[in-house]
Amino acid sequence: MNAARRRADATENRARIIEVARAVIARSDEVKLNAIAKEAGVGQGTLYRHFPTREALFAEVYAYDVDELVAAAPALLTEYEPLAALRLWFDRVADYARVKRDVFAAVEAGVQRDLAAHSHGPIGDALTALLVAGKADGTIRPDVDARDVILLIGYLSRLDEAEWDARARHLLGLVVDGLRRRD
């Protein structure tokens, strides 16, 4: 096997491990690395070569979700009016917040601070882009900024798993309604 193919295999393995870990974190309270390796179709050595600790894997899952969430904002703005784009982005925020909560529950406090620091800037920037577009077309109130919205949606971290499906998106809808410009 040539070097380029080995690198491609390693890249594919890494992506598959992250994808499986994200799914396992979302569906289970107990996350076992050997189960992730098995479901991803890789050996434990491969998993540990990419992610030497549980925290390293969880941090990568979290960073991947942040990157997806941030990339979604401009993509949604190209397809939808700003208020609709914000509402659809909030649907993604709900999915992200569920994984974030589960990841934060599984890692040490020090790692949590690093993960939070990684997300606030890019997520704030993505949210700002959505808000600016909505203000420009007159659908979003002029007196709100990304920090206001981040503080408002912080409640997602307080929802119990039992009430998540019934409340998360409903409450995000209320936030969108509150951001709507009223003349």
Side-chain angles (χ1 to χ4, degrees), residues 3-173:
R5 183 65 199 146
R6 273 196 308 272
R7 282 192 299 276
D9 285 347
T11 300
E12 291 168 11
N13 287 342
R14 182 179 177 84
R16 203 167 43 255
I17 291 166
I18 293 167
E19 180 182 325
V20 168
R22 186 180 190 282
V24 169
I25 290 167
R27 73 173 181 246
S28 176
D29 291 335
E30 188 176 3
V31 177
K32 295 184 184 246
L33 296 184
N34 60 344
I36 290 172
K38 184 176 181 181
E39 190 174 328
V42 301
Q44 289 182 9
T46 299
L47 186 142
Y48 283 105
R49 215 174 4 266
H50 289 286
F51 306 103
T53 66
R54 175 183 173 98
E55 289 80 14
L57 175 57
F58 285 13
E60 190 65 26
V61 167
Y62 182 73
Y64 176 83
D65 285 343
V66 168
D67 292 345
E68 269 194 346
L69 186 62
V70 169
L76 289 168
L77 283 171
T78 64
E79 292 184 46
Y80 300 95
E81 295 296 320
L83 198 58
L86 181 63
R87 187 176 294 276
L88 291 168
W89 191 74
F90 272 172
D91 284 342
R92 293 172 188 231
V93 167
D95 295 336
Y96 158 79
R98 180 179 248 166
V99 170
K100 175 183 171 183
R101 184 185 62 203
D102 293 341
V103 167
F104 275 17
V107 297
E108 299 171 10
V111 175
Q112 286 181 10
R113 282 190 298 277
D114 292 344
L115 292 177
H118 169 75
S119 68
H120 286 153
I123 290 174
D125 294 344
L127 182 53
T128 296
L130 290 162
L131 294 173
V132 166
K135 290 175 186 180
D137 82 351
T139 56
I140 294 181
R141 313 163 45 141
D143 63 334
V144 298
D145 62 21
R147 178 77 177 140
D148 294 333
V149 178
I150 289 170
L151 289 170
L152 285 170
I153 65 175
Y155 71 84
L156 289 170
S157 65
R158 297 177 187 264
L159 286 178
D160 292 330
E161 184 63 30
E163 63 182 343
W164 186 269
D165 291 331
R167 295 199 182 272
R169 284 179 171 72
H170 172 72
L171 292 171
L172 284 168

